[in-house]
């Protein structure tokens, strides 16, 4: 049975943690992020709730406690959420269908945050370029191929050209897809990296594991 809450375990700094403290959220929470959502220099918690089609915001007091949830109805089911300074607004933008992952970054080097979304059912990713005032341009889509079912997106500079690129996890095609950025908000067509039959990748983390300064 779903408990419909978030658990916080405060760390002691020695690899051990205090017992969990729970705060109520919406129905069927799928993802949670931490950030300063109200610009008071204190960390807050934002959870996306799949079944209740809303997000829960728990404002932090800065003393190891949080306010009760504030609920914002978004009108659709989602499994991912991201935080960033998008002019301090709660936004809803239409994508294609079944959007499972979202990330924010500056794709066109104008110091304004943009959005990338993985659309599983439609087999593409959507790019929304930000205007810096809480509004965004209409989406531009890039195909991840038919029946690829993209599930997760991440952003990094893969080719050391100082422009951001996109990697997407494709569950249907058992692959990773990379889109190289041109620095103006546009991207190359997808290059596929096979993960092997039946792997059904769920997410991806990016880091310099070989200490060669390459991602």
């Amino acid at each position: 049975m779903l408990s419909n809450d978030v658990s916080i375990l405060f760390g002691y700094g020695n690899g051990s943690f205090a017992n969990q403290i729970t705060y109520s959220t919406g129905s069927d929470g799928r993802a949670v992020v931490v950030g300063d959502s109200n610009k008071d220099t204190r960390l807050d918690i934002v959870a996306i709730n799949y079944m209740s089609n809303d997000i829960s915001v728990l404002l932090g007091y800065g003393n190891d406690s949080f306010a009760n949830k504030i609920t914002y109805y978004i009108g659709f089911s989602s499994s991912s959420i991201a935080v960033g300074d998008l002019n301090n607004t709660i936004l809803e933008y239409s994508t294609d269908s079944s959007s499972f992952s979202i990330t924010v970054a500056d794709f066109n080097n104008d110091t304004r945050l943009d959005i990338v979304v993985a659309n599983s059912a439609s087999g593409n990713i959507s790019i929304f370029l930000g205007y810096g005032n809480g509004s965004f341009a209409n989406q531009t889509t890039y195909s991840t191929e038919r029946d690829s079912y993209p599930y997760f997106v991440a952003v990094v500079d893969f080719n050391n050209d100082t422009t951001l690129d996109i990697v997407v996890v494709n569950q249907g095609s058992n692959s990773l897809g990379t889109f190289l950025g041109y620095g103006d908000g546009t991207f190359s067509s997808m290059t596929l990296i096979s993960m092997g039959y039946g792997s059904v990748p769920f997410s991806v983390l990016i880091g310099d594991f070989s200490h060669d300064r390459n991602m």
Side-chain angles (χ1 to χ4, degrees):
M1 183 181 217
L2 295 173
S3 56
N4 298 324
D5 56 33
V6 294
S7 297
I8 302 170
L9 292 82
F10 292 105
Y12 293 130
N14 61 359
S16 63
F17 296 84
N19 292 333
Q20 66 176 347
I21 302 172
T22 60
Y23 288 86
S24 175
T25 59
S27 178
D28 193 9
R30 293 293 181 92
V32 63
V33 291
V34 174
D36 181 8
S37 63
N38 59 350
K39 297 184 179 179
D40 64 354
T41 71
R42 300 166 182 168
L43 289 178
D44 311 309
I45 298 171
V46 184
I48 189 82
N49 306 306
Y50 189 84
M51 293 299 296
S52 51
N53 298 332
D54 56 30
I55 62 174
S56 300
V57 180
L58 291 80
L59 298 178
Y61 291 131
N63 61 356
D64 293 351
S65 65
F66 294 83
N68 291 332
K69 68 177 179 180
I70 303 171
T71 301
Y72 295 92
Y73 181 71
I74 58 176
F76 57 89
S77 298
S78 182
S79 299
S80 179
I81 190 168
V83 294
D85 183 2
L86 305 175
N87 200 34
N88 199 27
T89 54
I90 301 296
L91 300 171
E92 175 183 346
Y93 278 82
S94 176
T95 59
D96 282 0
S97 56
S98 300
S99 302
F100 283 111
S101 178
I102 180 172
T103 299
V104 294
D106 179 10
F107 295 124
N108 56 350
N109 296 311
D110 62 357
T111 71
R112 300 164 181 169
L113 286 178
D114 311 308
I115 298 173
V116 56
V117 182
N119 303 307
S120 184
S122 52
N124 60 35
I125 62 172
S126 298
I127 309 292
F128 298 88
L129 297 180
Y131 294 131
N133 60 358
S135 63
F136 294 80
N138 292 333
Q139 67 175 338
T140 302
T141 61
Y142 292 85
S143 175
T144 58
E145 298 185 354
R146 184 177 178 179
D147 298 327
S148 57
Y149 299 110
Y151 195 87
F152 189 92
V153 287
V155 175
V156 73
D157 178 11
F158 283 117
N159 56 350
N160 296 316
D161 62 355
T162 72
T163 61
L164 290 176
D165 310 309
I166 296 170
V167 59
V168 58
V169 167
N170 301 308
Q171 289 192 332
S173 56
N174 301 305
S175 66
L176 297 179
T178 58
F179 298 85
L180 297 181
Y182 296 127
D184 59 358
T186 63
F187 294 83
S188 68
S189 298
M190 182 181 66
T191 300
L192 277 179
I193 303 172
S194 176
M195 300 298 294
Y197 179 78
S199 59
V200 193
F202 186 85
S203 66
V204 61
L205 293 176
I206 301 166
D208 179 10
F209 299 114
S210 56
H211 300 289
D212 60 0
R213 299 184 180 180
N214 294 315
M215 296 297 180

